[in-house]
Amino acid sequence: MLWVKAFHIIFVVSWFAGLFYLPRLFVNHAMTQDTAVSTQLQVMERKLYRFVTPIGVLALATGLWLWLGYGIAGDWLMAKLFLVVALIAYHLYCAKLLSDFKQGHNTRSHIWYRWFNELPVLILIAVVILVVVKPF
Ligand code: HEM
């Protein structure tokens, strides 16, 4: 079980590295008028998204293994799963924003993307408190 939990944490950390960095690329993308910079950012965003998506799937799979395989559960996990669904929605919305930039349809400002970038931080804080402290 501890090996599964260790890899769960490794995949979670790696997933968040991508979820913190991708919106930062969007901030820079929304600020630039330079076509060469925009094209370069598109390539970076696409590669990062393709890299981090399977890692997110592995984070979820190892989490489900801990829950359904080892029977670790509680009200804290139900609250955690609610936040995990929000995180998955955030990840999928990033794909929509990525294609908006690709088609030149982005309407959001770099300020909006700076606030958007903070959402995973709030989810991470809440999930880690729930799973480590298990307040209920
Ligand atoms: C389908 C999604 C997920 C499920 C079912 C799940 C389930 C679990 C379970 C059952 C544990 C073991 C808890 C224990 O042994 O006390 C665990 C550990 C952990 N999970 Fe998840 N998890 C999921 C996604 C996530 C996500 C997205 C994050 C990060 C935001 C996360 C962060 C953690 C951490 C940090 C631990 C280690 C806690 C400890 O060692 O005390 N999990 N998870």
Side-chain angles (χ1 to χ4, degrees), residues 1 5 8-9 12 15-16 59-68 71-73 76-77 80-81 84 87-88 123-124 127-128 131-132 134:
M1 190 274 281
K5 194 192 288 190
H8 180 56
I9 297 171
V12 161
W15 186 17
F16 270 91
L60 300 177
T62 47
L64 290 171
W65 189 351
L66 288 166
W67 172 29
L68 305 173
I72 305 171
W76 59 271
L77 183 62
K80 177 181 173 182
L81 290 176
V84 170
L87 200 65
I88 295 168
I123 295 177
L124 181 65
V127 168
V128 170
V131 73
V132 173
K134 298 183 174 65

PDB file of all heavy atoms in Angstrom, residues 1 5 8-9 12 15-16 59-68 71-73 76-77 80-81 84 87-88 123-124 127-128 131-132 134, ligand 1:
ATOM      1  N   MET A   1       0.826  -1.209   0.000  1.00  0.00           N
ATOM      2  CA  MET A   1       0.000   0.000   0.000  1.00  0.00           C
ATOM      3  C   MET A   1       0.860   1.259   0.000  1.00  0.00           C
ATOM      4  O   MET A   1       0.566   2.219  -0.703  1.00  0.00           O
ATOM      5  CB  MET A   1      -0.946  -0.015   1.226  1.00  0.00           C
ATOM      6  CG  MET A   1      -2.020   1.050   1.219  1.00  0.00           C
ATOM      7  SD  MET A   1      -1.489   2.639   1.900  1.00  0.00           S
ATOM      8  CE  MET A   1      -1.584   2.336   3.659  1.00  0.00           C
ATOM      9  N   LYS A   5       0.831   4.560  -2.407  1.00  0.00           N
ATOM     10  CA  LYS A   5       0.681   5.926  -1.882  1.00  0.00           C
ATOM     11  C   LYS A   5       1.874   6.792  -2.303  1.00  0.00           C
ATOM     12  O   LYS A   5       1.701   7.952  -2.688  1.00  0.00           O
ATOM     13  CB  LYS A   5       0.552   5.914  -0.356  1.00  0.00           C
ATOM     14  CG  LYS A   5       0.063   7.246   0.189  1.00  0.00           C
ATOM     15  CD  LYS A   5       0.184   7.382   1.666  1.00  0.00           C
ATOM     16  CE  LYS A   5      -0.795   6.567   2.446  1.00  0.00           C
ATOM     17  NZ  LYS A   5      -0.769   6.925   3.897  1.00  0.00           N
ATOM     18  N   HIS A   8       1.332   7.679  -5.777  1.00  0.00           N
ATOM     19  CA  HIS A   8       0.194   8.605  -5.836  1.00  0.00           C
ATOM     20  C   HIS A   8       0.686  10.031  -5.595  1.00  0.00           C
ATOM     21  O   HIS A   8       0.391  10.945  -6.356  1.00  0.00           O
ATOM     22  CB  HIS A   8      -0.844   8.197  -4.795  1.00  0.00           C
ATOM     23  CG  HIS A   8      -2.057   9.059  -4.742  1.00  0.00           C
ATOM     24  ND1 HIS A   8      -2.868   9.297  -5.825  1.00  0.00           N
ATOM     25  CD2 HIS A   8      -2.619   9.743  -3.714  1.00  0.00           C
ATOM     26  CE1 HIS A   8      -3.864  10.073  -5.474  1.00  0.00           C
ATOM     27  NE2 HIS A   8      -3.742  10.362  -4.196  1.00  0.00           N
ATOM     28  N   ILE A   9       1.499  10.195  -4.561  1.00  0.00           N
ATOM     29  CA  ILE A   9       2.025  11.527  -4.232  1.00  0.00           C
ATOM     30  C   ILE A   9       2.960  12.032  -5.345  1.00  0.00           C
ATOM     31  O   ILE A   9       2.894  13.201  -5.743  1.00  0.00           O
ATOM     32  CB  ILE A   9       2.731  11.506  -2.860  1.00  0.00           C
ATOM     33  CG1 ILE A   9       1.732  11.152  -1.757  1.00  0.00           C
ATOM     34  CG2 ILE A   9       3.414  12.840  -2.573  1.00  0.00           C
ATOM     35  CD1 ILE A   9       2.371  10.890  -0.401  1.00  0.00           C
ATOM     36  N   VAL A  12       0.785  13.117  -8.208  1.00  0.00           N
ATOM     37  CA  VAL A  12       0.047  14.329  -7.837  1.00  0.00           C
ATOM     38  C   VAL A  12       0.957  15.553  -7.942  1.00  0.00           C
ATOM     39  O   VAL A  12       0.584  16.575  -8.528  1.00  0.00           O
ATOM     40  CB  VAL A  12      -0.529  14.199  -6.407  1.00  0.00           C
ATOM     41  CG1 VAL A  12      -0.888  15.554  -5.825  1.00  0.00           C
ATOM     42  CG2 VAL A  12      -1.742  13.285  -6.394  1.00  0.00           C
ATOM     43  N   TRP A  15       1.630  16.321 -11.571  1.00  0.00           N
ATOM     44  CA  TRP A  15       0.432  16.877 -12.211  1.00  0.00           C
ATOM     45  C   TRP A  15       0.298  18.356 -11.878  1.00  0.00           C
ATOM     46  O   TRP A  15       0.071  19.198 -12.744  1.00  0.00           O
ATOM     47  CB  TRP A  15      -0.805  16.087 -11.750  1.00  0.00           C
ATOM     48  CG  TRP A  15      -2.092  16.432 -12.422  1.00  0.00           C
ATOM     49  CD1 TRP A  15      -2.266  17.122 -13.613  1.00  0.00           C
ATOM     50  CD2 TRP A  15      -3.419  16.102 -11.991  1.00  0.00           C
ATOM     51  NE1 TRP A  15      -3.603  17.242 -13.914  1.00  0.00           N
ATOM     52  CE2 TRP A  15      -4.328  16.598 -12.938  1.00  0.00           C
ATOM     53  CE3 TRP A  15      -3.916  15.410 -10.883  1.00  0.00           C
ATOM     54  CZ2 TRP A  15      -5.712  16.442 -12.808  1.00  0.00           C
ATOM     55  CZ3 TRP A  15      -5.298  15.240 -10.760  1.00  0.00           C
ATOM     56  CH2 TRP A  15      -6.177  15.761 -11.707  1.00  0.00           C
ATOM     57  N   PHE A  16       0.512  18.677 -10.602  1.00  0.00           N
ATOM     58  CA  PHE A  16       0.398  20.076 -10.178  1.00  0.00           C
ATOM     59  C   PHE A  16       1.490  20.947 -10.781  1.00  0.00           C
ATOM     60  O   PHE A  16       1.258  22.126 -11.063  1.00  0.00           O
ATOM     61  CB  PHE A  16       0.375  20.194  -8.653  1.00  0.00           C
ATOM     62  CG  PHE A  16      -1.016  20.117  -8.118  1.00  0.00           C
ATOM     63  CD1 PHE A  16      -1.569  18.900  -7.755  1.00  0.00           C
ATOM     64  CD2 PHE A  16      -1.785  21.258  -8.005  1.00  0.00           C
ATOM     65  CE1 PHE A  16      -2.876  18.827  -7.305  1.00  0.00           C
ATOM     66  CE2 PHE A  16      -3.092  21.192  -7.548  1.00  0.00           C
ATOM     67  CZ  PHE A  16      -3.639  19.975  -7.199  1.00  0.00           C
ATOM     68  N   ALA A  59      -2.258   9.825 -11.409  1.00  0.00           N
ATOM     69  CA  ALA A  59      -2.543  10.320 -10.055  1.00  0.00           C
ATOM     70  C   ALA A  59      -3.940   9.860  -9.622  1.00  0.00           C
ATOM     71  O   ALA A  59      -4.133   9.378  -8.502  1.00  0.00           O
ATOM     72  CB  ALA A  59      -2.462  11.847 -10.034  1.00  0.00           C
ATOM     73  N   LEU A  60      -4.891   9.954 -10.544  1.00  0.00           N
ATOM     74  CA  LEU A  60      -6.262   9.528 -10.238  1.00  0.00           C
ATOM     75  C   LEU A  60      -6.329   8.012 -10.061  1.00  0.00           C
ATOM     76  O   LEU A  60      -6.970   7.518  -9.127  1.00  0.00           O
ATOM     77  CB  LEU A  60      -7.212   9.980 -11.353  1.00  0.00           C
ATOM     78  CG  LEU A  60      -7.291  11.481 -11.617  1.00  0.00           C
ATOM     79  CD1 LEU A  60      -8.209  11.776 -12.787  1.00  0.00           C
ATOM     80  CD2 LEU A  60      -7.742  12.228 -10.372  1.00  0.00           C
ATOM     81  N   ALA A  61      -5.638   7.275 -10.943  1.00  0.00           N
ATOM     82  CA  ALA A  61      -5.677   5.795 -10.883  1.00  0.00           C
ATOM     83  C   ALA A  61      -5.087   5.278  -9.569  1.00  0.00           C
ATOM     84  O   ALA A  61      -5.677   4.397  -8.918  1.00  0.00           O
ATOM     85  CB  ALA A  61      -4.907   5.220 -12.076  1.00  0.00           C
ATOM     86  N   THR A  62      -3.961   5.852  -9.134  1.00  0.00           N
ATOM     87  CA  THR A  62      -3.368   5.397  -7.871  1.00  0.00           C
ATOM     88  C   THR A  62      -4.238   5.811  -6.685  1.00  0.00           C
ATOM     89  O   THR A  62      -4.333   5.074  -5.701  1.00  0.00           O
ATOM     90  CB  THR A  62      -1.937   5.972  -7.709  1.00  0.00           C
ATOM     91  OG1 THR A  62      -1.957   7.373  -8.016  1.00  0.00           O
ATOM     92  CG2 THR A  62      -0.952   5.272  -8.611  1.00  0.00           C
ATOM     93  N   GLY A  63      -4.922   6.976  -6.806  1.00  0.00           N
ATOM     94  CA  GLY A  63      -5.848   7.391  -5.748  1.00  0.00           C
ATOM     95  C   GLY A  63      -7.015   6.420  -5.638  1.00  0.00           C
ATOM     96  O   GLY A  63      -7.381   5.984  -4.537  1.00  0.00           O
ATOM     97  N   LEU A  64      -7.569   6.030  -6.792  1.00  0.00           N
ATOM     98  CA  LEU A  64      -8.688   5.074  -6.802  1.00  0.00           C
ATOM     99  C   LEU A  64      -8.229   3.721  -6.257  1.00  0.00           C
ATOM    100  O   LEU A  64      -8.981   3.026  -5.558  1.00  0.00           O
ATOM    101  CB  LEU A  64      -9.223   4.935  -8.230  1.00  0.00           C
ATOM    102  CG  LEU A  64      -9.954   6.165  -8.778  1.00  0.00           C
ATOM    103  CD1 LEU A  64     -10.248   6.012 -10.266  1.00  0.00           C
ATOM    104  CD2 LEU A  64     -11.245   6.406  -7.995  1.00  0.00           C
ATOM    105  N   TRP A  65      -6.982   3.354  -6.549  1.00  0.00           N
ATOM    106  CA  TRP A  65      -6.419   2.090  -6.057  1.00  0.00           C
ATOM    107  C   TRP A  65      -6.359   2.111  -4.531  1.00  0.00           C
ATOM    108  O   TRP A  65      -6.751   1.145  -3.858  1.00  0.00           O
ATOM    109  CB  TRP A  65      -5.014   1.911  -6.667  1.00  0.00           C
ATOM    110  CG  TRP A  65      -4.368   0.579  -6.446  1.00  0.00           C
ATOM    111  CD1 TRP A  65      -4.771  -0.449  -5.641  1.00  0.00           C
ATOM    112  CD2 TRP A  65      -3.170   0.133  -7.067  1.00  0.00           C
ATOM    113  NE1 TRP A  65      -3.898  -1.494  -5.716  1.00  0.00           N
ATOM    114  CE2 TRP A  65      -2.903  -1.172  -6.593  1.00  0.00           C
ATOM    115  CE3 TRP A  65      -2.284   0.710  -7.988  1.00  0.00           C
ATOM    116  CZ2 TRP A  65      -1.781  -1.911  -7.008  1.00  0.00           C
ATOM    117  CZ3 TRP A  65      -1.176  -0.011  -8.400  1.00  0.00           C
ATOM    118  CH2 TRP A  65      -0.927  -1.312  -7.907  1.00  0.00           C
ATOM    119  N   LEU A  66      -5.903   3.258  -3.960  1.00  0.00           N
ATOM    120  CA  LEU A  66      -5.846   3.391  -2.495  1.00  0.00           C
ATOM    121  C   LEU A  66      -7.246   3.305  -1.883  1.00  0.00           C
ATOM    122  O   LEU A  66      -7.457   2.657  -0.854  1.00  0.00           O
ATOM    123  CB  LEU A  66      -5.188   4.727  -2.126  1.00  0.00           C
ATOM    124  CG  LEU A  66      -3.691   4.835  -2.371  1.00  0.00           C
ATOM    125  CD1 LEU A  66      -3.241   6.293  -2.303  1.00  0.00           C
ATOM    126  CD2 LEU A  66      -2.916   3.984  -1.370  1.00  0.00           C
ATOM    127  N   TRP A  67      -8.193   3.954  -2.559  1.00  0.00           N
ATOM    128  CA  TRP A  67      -9.563   3.992  -2.041  1.00  0.00           C
ATOM    129  C   TRP A  67     -10.260   2.647  -2.223  1.00  0.00           C
ATOM    130  O   TRP A  67     -10.644   2.000  -1.259  1.00  0.00           O
ATOM    131  CB  TRP A  67     -10.333   5.109  -2.746  1.00  0.00           C
ATOM    132  CG  TRP A  67     -11.793   5.168  -2.473  1.00  0.00           C
ATOM    133  CD1 TRP A  67     -12.452   4.771  -1.366  1.00  0.00           C
ATOM    134  CD2 TRP A  67     -12.794   5.689  -3.345  1.00  0.00           C
ATOM    135  NE1 TRP A  67     -13.795   4.994  -1.481  1.00  0.00           N
ATOM    136  CE2 TRP A  67     -14.033   5.577  -2.699  1.00  0.00           C
ATOM    137  CE3 TRP A  67     -12.765   6.280  -4.618  1.00  0.00           C
ATOM    138  CZ2 TRP A  67     -15.224   5.997  -3.275  1.00  0.00           C
ATOM    139  CZ3 TRP A  67     -13.944   6.699  -5.187  1.00  0.00           C
ATOM    140  CH2 TRP A  67     -15.160   6.560  -4.523  1.00  0.00           C
ATOM    141  N   LEU A  68     -10.377   2.191  -3.462  1.00  0.00           N
ATOM    142  CA  LEU A  68     -11.168   0.993  -3.748  1.00  0.00           C
ATOM    143  C   LEU A  68     -10.371  -0.286  -3.532  1.00  0.00           C
ATOM    144  O   LEU A  68     -10.939  -1.325  -3.187  1.00  0.00           O
ATOM    145  CB  LEU A  68     -11.686   1.075  -5.192  1.00  0.00           C
ATOM    146  CG  LEU A  68     -12.485   2.346  -5.500  1.00  0.00           C
ATOM    147  CD1 LEU A  68     -12.824   2.441  -6.977  1.00  0.00           C
ATOM    148  CD2 LEU A  68     -13.746   2.402  -4.636  1.00  0.00           C
ATOM    149  N   GLY A  71      -9.406   0.131   0.505  1.00  0.00           N
ATOM    150  CA  GLY A  71     -10.541   0.464   1.356  1.00  0.00           C
ATOM    151  C   GLY A  71     -10.309   1.650   2.282  1.00  0.00           C
ATOM    152  O   GLY A  71     -10.981   1.797   3.299  1.00  0.00           O
ATOM    153  N   ILE A  72      -9.343   2.508   1.921  1.00  0.00           N
ATOM    154  CA  ILE A  72      -9.111   3.714   2.727  1.00  0.00           C
ATOM    155  C   ILE A  72     -10.170   4.740   2.333  1.00  0.00           C
ATOM    156  O   ILE A  72     -10.230   5.143   1.173  1.00  0.00           O
ATOM    157  CB  ILE A  72      -7.699   4.297   2.491  1.00  0.00           C
ATOM    158  CG1 ILE A  72      -6.638   3.231   2.744  1.00  0.00           C
ATOM    159  CG2 ILE A  72      -7.466   5.523   3.371  1.00  0.00           C
ATOM    160  CD1 ILE A  72      -5.247   3.661   2.323  1.00  0.00           C
ATOM    161  N   ALA A  73     -11.030   5.118   3.288  1.00  0.00           N
ATOM    162  CA  ALA A  73     -12.136   6.022   2.946  1.00  0.00           C
ATOM    163  C   ALA A  73     -12.582   6.792   4.183  1.00  0.00           C
ATOM    164  O   ALA A  73     -12.036   6.595   5.277  1.00  0.00           O
ATOM    165  CB  ALA A  73     -13.298   5.218   2.358  1.00  0.00           C
ATOM    166  N   TRP A  76     -13.842  12.627   4.785  1.00  0.00           N
ATOM    167  CA  TRP A  76     -12.795  13.501   4.217  1.00  0.00           C
ATOM    168  C   TRP A  76     -12.563  13.171   2.748  1.00  0.00           C
ATOM    169  O   TRP A  76     -12.305  14.064   1.928  1.00  0.00           O
ATOM    170  CB  TRP A  76     -11.477  13.335   5.002  1.00  0.00           C
ATOM    171  CG  TRP A  76     -10.958  11.945   5.005  1.00  0.00           C
ATOM    172  CD1 TRP A  76     -11.267  10.958   5.911  1.00  0.00           C
ATOM    173  CD2 TRP A  76     -10.088  11.333   4.026  1.00  0.00           C
ATOM    174  NE1 TRP A  76     -10.648   9.777   5.559  1.00  0.00           N
ATOM    175  CE2 TRP A  76      -9.911   9.980   4.424  1.00  0.00           C
ATOM    176  CE3 TRP A  76      -9.465  11.791   2.868  1.00  0.00           C
ATOM    177  CZ2 TRP A  76      -9.127   9.096   3.687  1.00  0.00           C
ATOM    178  CZ3 TRP A  76      -8.684  10.910   2.142  1.00  0.00           C
ATOM    179  CH2 TRP A  76      -8.510   9.581   2.543  1.00  0.00           C
ATOM    180  N   LEU A  77     -12.649  11.857   2.410  1.00  0.00           N
ATOM    181  CA  LEU A  77     -12.397  11.461   1.022  1.00  0.00           C
ATOM    182  C   LEU A  77     -13.528  11.939   0.110  1.00  0.00           C
ATOM    183  O   LEU A  77     -13.299  12.353  -1.023  1.00  0.00           O
ATOM    184  CB  LEU A  77     -12.226   9.941   0.908  1.00  0.00           C
ATOM    185  CG  LEU A  77     -11.888   9.435  -0.486  1.00  0.00           C
ATOM    186  CD1 LEU A  77     -10.551   9.984  -0.982  1.00  0.00           C
ATOM    187  CD2 LEU A  77     -11.877   7.922  -0.532  1.00  0.00           C
ATOM    188  N   LYS A  80     -12.833  15.387  -0.530  1.00  0.00           N
ATOM    189  CA  LYS A  80     -11.646  15.431  -1.404  1.00  0.00           C
ATOM    190  C   LYS A  80     -12.030  15.139  -2.853  1.00  0.00           C
ATOM    191  O   LYS A  80     -11.593  15.820  -3.769  1.00  0.00           O
ATOM    192  CB  LYS A  80     -10.615  14.409  -0.915  1.00  0.00           C
ATOM    193  CG  LYS A  80      -9.372  14.319  -1.775  1.00  0.00           C
ATOM    194  CD  LYS A  80      -8.415  13.260  -1.248  1.00  0.00           C
ATOM    195  CE  LYS A  80      -7.267  13.066  -2.208  1.00  0.00           C
ATOM    196  NZ  LYS A  80      -6.331  12.013  -1.767  1.00  0.00           N
ATOM    197  N   LEU A  81     -12.893  14.136  -3.050  1.00  0.00           N
ATOM    198  CA  LEU A  81     -13.305  13.768  -4.408  1.00  0.00           C
ATOM    199  C   LEU A  81     -14.053  14.905  -5.089  1.00  0.00           C
ATOM    200  O   LEU A  81     -13.929  15.117  -6.295  1.00  0.00           O
ATOM    201  CB  LEU A  81     -14.149  12.491  -4.380  1.00  0.00           C
ATOM    202  CG  LEU A  81     -13.377  11.215  -4.042  1.00  0.00           C
ATOM    203  CD1 LEU A  81     -14.317  10.028  -3.941  1.00  0.00           C
ATOM    204  CD2 LEU A  81     -12.286  10.953  -5.074  1.00  0.00           C
ATOM    205  N   VAL A  84     -11.415  17.012  -6.316  1.00  0.00           N
ATOM    206  CA  VAL A  84     -10.714  16.360  -7.424  1.00  0.00           C
ATOM    207  C   VAL A  84     -11.502  16.532  -8.727  1.00  0.00           C
ATOM    208  O   VAL A  84     -10.923  16.782  -9.786  1.00  0.00           O
ATOM    209  CB  VAL A  84     -10.469  14.867  -7.121  1.00  0.00           C
ATOM    210  CG1 VAL A  84      -9.959  14.134  -8.348  1.00  0.00           C
ATOM    211  CG2 VAL A  84      -9.480  14.699  -5.972  1.00  0.00           C
ATOM    212  N   LEU A  87     -10.778  19.805 -10.002  1.00  0.00           N
ATOM    213  CA  LEU A  87      -9.431  19.828 -10.592  1.00  0.00           C
ATOM    214  C   LEU A  87      -9.431  19.238 -11.999  1.00  0.00           C
ATOM    215  O   LEU A  87      -8.788  19.758 -12.916  1.00  0.00           O
ATOM    216  CB  LEU A  87      -8.491  19.021  -9.680  1.00  0.00           C
ATOM    217  CG  LEU A  87      -7.012  19.280  -9.815  1.00  0.00           C
ATOM    218  CD1 LEU A  87      -6.659  20.692  -9.399  1.00  0.00           C
ATOM    219  CD2 LEU A  87      -6.240  18.274  -8.969  1.00  0.00           C
ATOM    220  N   ILE A  88     -10.190  18.168 -12.189  1.00  0.00           N
ATOM    221  CA  ILE A  88     -10.302  17.556 -13.520  1.00  0.00           C
ATOM    222  C   ILE A  88     -10.975  18.544 -14.484  1.00  0.00           C
ATOM    223  O   ILE A  88     -10.533  18.723 -15.623  1.00  0.00           O
ATOM    224  CB  ILE A  88     -11.095  16.232 -13.441  1.00  0.00           C
ATOM    225  CG1 ILE A  88     -10.336  15.198 -12.605  1.00  0.00           C
ATOM    226  CG2 ILE A  88     -11.394  15.687 -14.838  1.00  0.00           C
ATOM    227  CD1 ILE A  88     -11.161  13.976 -12.230  1.00  0.00           C
ATOM    228  N   ILE A 123      -7.088  24.603  -4.434  1.00  0.00           N
ATOM    229  CA  ILE A 123      -7.532  23.196  -4.398  1.00  0.00           C
ATOM    230  C   ILE A 123      -6.471  22.329  -3.718  1.00  0.00           C
ATOM    231  O   ILE A 123      -6.791  21.480  -2.877  1.00  0.00           O
ATOM    232  CB  ILE A 123      -7.833  22.683  -5.831  1.00  0.00           C
ATOM    233  CG1 ILE A 123      -9.023  23.441  -6.425  1.00  0.00           C
ATOM    234  CG2 ILE A 123      -8.096  21.184  -5.828  1.00  0.00           C
ATOM    235  CD1 ILE A 123      -9.351  23.068  -7.867  1.00  0.00           C
ATOM    236  N   LEU A 124      -5.199  22.572  -4.028  1.00  0.00           N
ATOM    237  CA  LEU A 124      -4.112  21.779  -3.425  1.00  0.00           C
ATOM    238  C   LEU A 124      -4.106  21.929  -1.906  1.00  0.00           C
ATOM    239  O   LEU A 124      -4.029  20.934  -1.169  1.00  0.00           O
ATOM    240  CB  LEU A 124      -2.764  22.207  -3.996  1.00  0.00           C
ATOM    241  CG  LEU A 124      -1.554  21.445  -3.471  1.00  0.00           C
ATOM    242  CD1 LEU A 124      -1.609  19.977  -3.879  1.00  0.00           C
ATOM    243  CD2 LEU A 124      -0.246  22.078  -3.946  1.00  0.00           C
ATOM    244  N   VAL A 127      -7.137  20.018  -0.457  1.00  0.00           N
ATOM    245  CA  VAL A 127      -7.031  18.554  -0.572  1.00  0.00           C
ATOM    246  C   VAL A 127      -5.982  18.002   0.393  1.00  0.00           C
ATOM    247  O   VAL A 127      -6.223  17.007   1.075  1.00  0.00           O
ATOM    248  CB  VAL A 127      -6.686  18.135  -2.017  1.00  0.00           C
ATOM    249  CG1 VAL A 127      -6.296  16.668  -2.074  1.00  0.00           C
ATOM    250  CG2 VAL A 127      -7.861  18.373  -2.936  1.00  0.00           C
ATOM    251  N   VAL A 128      -4.828  18.651   0.478  1.00  0.00           N
ATOM    252  CA  VAL A 128      -3.772  18.133   1.368  1.00  0.00           C
ATOM    253  C   VAL A 128      -4.217  18.184   2.829  1.00  0.00           C
ATOM    254  O   VAL A 128      -3.986  17.242   3.593  1.00  0.00           O
ATOM    255  CB  VAL A 128      -2.443  18.888   1.146  1.00  0.00           C
ATOM    256  CG1 VAL A 128      -1.426  18.543   2.216  1.00  0.00           C
ATOM    257  CG2 VAL A 128      -1.885  18.565  -0.236  1.00  0.00           C
ATOM    258  N   VAL A 131      -6.694  15.261   3.322  1.00  0.00           N
ATOM    259  CA  VAL A 131      -6.165  13.889   3.300  1.00  0.00           C
ATOM    260  C   VAL A 131      -5.160  13.635   4.422  1.00  0.00           C
ATOM    261  O   VAL A 131      -5.012  12.493   4.878  1.00  0.00           O
ATOM    262  CB  VAL A 131      -5.554  13.581   1.907  1.00  0.00           C
ATOM    263  CG1 VAL A 131      -4.241  14.307   1.712  1.00  0.00           C
ATOM    264  CG2 VAL A 131      -5.383  12.097   1.695  1.00  0.00           C
ATOM    265  N   VAL A 132      -4.477  14.690   4.902  1.00  0.00           N
ATOM    266  CA  VAL A 132      -3.482  14.491   5.975  1.00  0.00           C
ATOM    267  C   VAL A 132      -4.133  14.665   7.352  1.00  0.00           C
ATOM    268  O   VAL A 132      -3.958  13.841   8.249  1.00  0.00           O
ATOM    269  CB  VAL A 132      -2.293  15.454   5.799  1.00  0.00           C
ATOM    270  CG1 VAL A 132      -1.351  15.371   6.996  1.00  0.00           C
ATOM    271  CG2 VAL A 132      -1.538  15.136   4.508  1.00  0.00           C
ATOM    272  N   LYS A 134      -7.502  14.906   7.928  1.00  0.00           N
ATOM    273  CA  LYS A 134      -8.781  14.168   7.970  1.00  0.00           C
ATOM    274  C   LYS A 134      -9.721  14.799   9.012  1.00  0.00           C
ATOM    275  O   LYS A 134     -10.118  14.152   9.986  1.00  0.00           O
ATOM    276  CB  LYS A 134      -8.539  12.687   8.256  1.00  0.00           C
ATOM    277  CG  LYS A 134      -7.714  11.996   7.172  1.00  0.00           C
ATOM    278  CD  LYS A 134      -7.556  10.522   7.456  1.00  0.00           C
ATOM    279  CE  LYS A 134      -6.868   9.789   6.321  1.00  0.00           C
ATOM    280  NZ  LYS A 134      -5.465  10.195   6.071  1.00  0.00           N
TER     281      LYS A 134
HETATM  282  C1  HEM B   1      -9.592   9.973  -7.779  1.00  0.00           C
HETATM  283  C2  HEM B   1      -8.886  10.812  -7.071  1.00  0.00           C
HETATM  284  C3  HEM B   1      -8.217  10.476  -5.761  1.00  0.00           C
HETATM  285  C4  HEM B   1      -8.521   9.501  -4.846  1.00  0.00           C
HETATM  286  C5  HEM B   1      -9.623   8.442  -4.898  1.00  0.00           C
HETATM  287  C6  HEM B   1      -7.550   9.624  -3.749  1.00  0.00           C
HETATM  288  C7  HEM B   1      -7.512   8.792  -2.642  1.00  0.00           C
HETATM  289  C8  HEM B   1      -6.496   8.802  -1.695  1.00  0.00           C
HETATM  290  C9  HEM B   1      -6.387   7.880  -0.599  1.00  0.00           C
HETATM  291  C10 HEM B   1      -7.390   6.791  -0.258  1.00  0.00           C
HETATM  292  C11 HEM B   1      -5.228   8.174   0.075  1.00  0.00           C
HETATM  293  C12 HEM B   1      -4.632   7.467   1.303  1.00  0.00           C
HETATM  294  C13 HEM B   1      -4.934   8.273   2.528  1.00  0.00           C
HETATM  295  C14 HEM B   1      -4.318   7.638   3.759  1.00  0.00           C
HETATM  296  O1  HEM B   1      -3.619   6.642   3.686  1.00  0.00           O
HETATM  297  O2  HEM B   1      -4.512   8.188   4.834  1.00  0.00           O
HETATM  298  C15 HEM B   1      -4.627   9.290  -0.607  1.00  0.00           C
HETATM  299  C16 HEM B   1      -3.451   9.881  -0.217  1.00  0.00           C
HETATM  300  C17 HEM B   1      -3.087  11.115  -0.670  1.00  0.00           C
HETATM  301  N1  HEM B   1      -3.694  11.842  -1.675  1.00  0.00           N
HETATM  302 FE1  HEM B   1      -5.149  11.236  -2.893  1.00  0.00          FE
HETATM  303  N2  HEM B   1      -6.697  10.662  -4.021  1.00  0.00           N
HETATM  304  C18 HEM B   1      -7.089  11.219  -5.232  1.00  0.00           C
HETATM  305  C19 HEM B   1      -6.534  12.315  -5.848  1.00  0.00           C
HETATM  306  C20 HEM B   1      -5.634  13.147  -5.201  1.00  0.00           C
HETATM  307  C21 HEM B   1      -5.278  14.473  -5.650  1.00  0.00           C
HETATM  308  C22 HEM B   1      -5.804  15.145  -6.904  1.00  0.00           C
HETATM  309  C23 HEM B   1      -4.406  14.988  -4.723  1.00  0.00           C
HETATM  310  C24 HEM B   1      -3.723  16.330  -4.683  1.00  0.00           C
HETATM  311  C25 HEM B   1      -4.322  17.432  -4.718  1.00  0.00           C
HETATM  312  C26 HEM B   1      -4.191  13.963  -3.717  1.00  0.00           C
HETATM  313  C27 HEM B   1      -3.336  14.085  -2.647  1.00  0.00           C
HETATM  314  C28 HEM B   1      -3.031  13.055  -1.765  1.00  0.00           C
HETATM  315  C29 HEM B   1      -1.945  13.097  -0.764  1.00  0.00           C
HETATM  316  C30 HEM B   1      -0.991  14.259  -0.523  1.00  0.00           C
HETATM  317  C31 HEM B   1      -1.967  11.861  -0.095  1.00  0.00           C
HETATM  318  C32 HEM B   1      -0.998  11.360   1.017  1.00  0.00           C
HETATM  319  C33 HEM B   1      -1.618  11.601   2.348  1.00  0.00           C
HETATM  320  C34 HEM B   1      -0.860  10.894   3.459  1.00  0.00           C
HETATM  321  O3  HEM B   1       0.149  10.247   3.229  1.00  0.00           O
HETATM  322  O4  HEM B   1      -1.302  11.024   4.602  1.00  0.00           O
HETATM  323  N3  HEM B   1      -4.955  12.861  -4.032  1.00  0.00           N
HETATM  324  N4  HEM B   1      -5.419   9.662  -1.690  1.00  0.00           N
END
